[in-house]
Amino acid sequence: MTALARPTHGRMIGGVCAALARRFGTSATTMRVLFLLSCLLPGPQFLVYIALWVLLPSEDRAGSAW
């Protein structure tokens, strides 16, 4: 597994789905579809997405932080 950081390439909105897909070894499209399907269920999906967008470092910053 790779470090959890938002990639600089291949992101659509914030790069959260692309980061999670890279972390768990799936495609970004699969992760985006799963996120959209989860939005049909009740819960704080959008709040979690926004929180991850704010909390996850960008890939270019994550490499220089360590």
Side-chain angles (χ1 to χ4, degrees), residues 4-22 28 32 49 52-53 56-57:
L4 193 56
R6 295 180 296 120
T8 54
H9 302 290
R11 62 169 76 171
M12 290 194 87
I13 296 175
V16 174
C17 289
L20 292 173
R22 187 180 290 179
R32 290 177 185 123
Y49 188 91
L52 287 174
W53 190 354
L56 289 180

Side-chain angles (χ1 to χ4, degrees), residues 41-57:
L41 301 171
Q45 291 87 346
F46 289 111
L47 295 176
V48 171
Y49 188 91
I50 291 170
L52 287 174
W53 190 354
V54 170
L55 294 175
L56 289 180

Side-chain angles (χ1 to χ4, degrees), residues 16-37:
V16 174
C17 289
L20 292 173
R22 187 180 290 179
R23 172 72 177 193
F24 294 114
T26 63
S27 71
T29 304
T30 303
M31 194 60 67
R32 290 177 185 123
V33 168
L34 288 174
F35 174 73
L36 289 176
L37 288 175

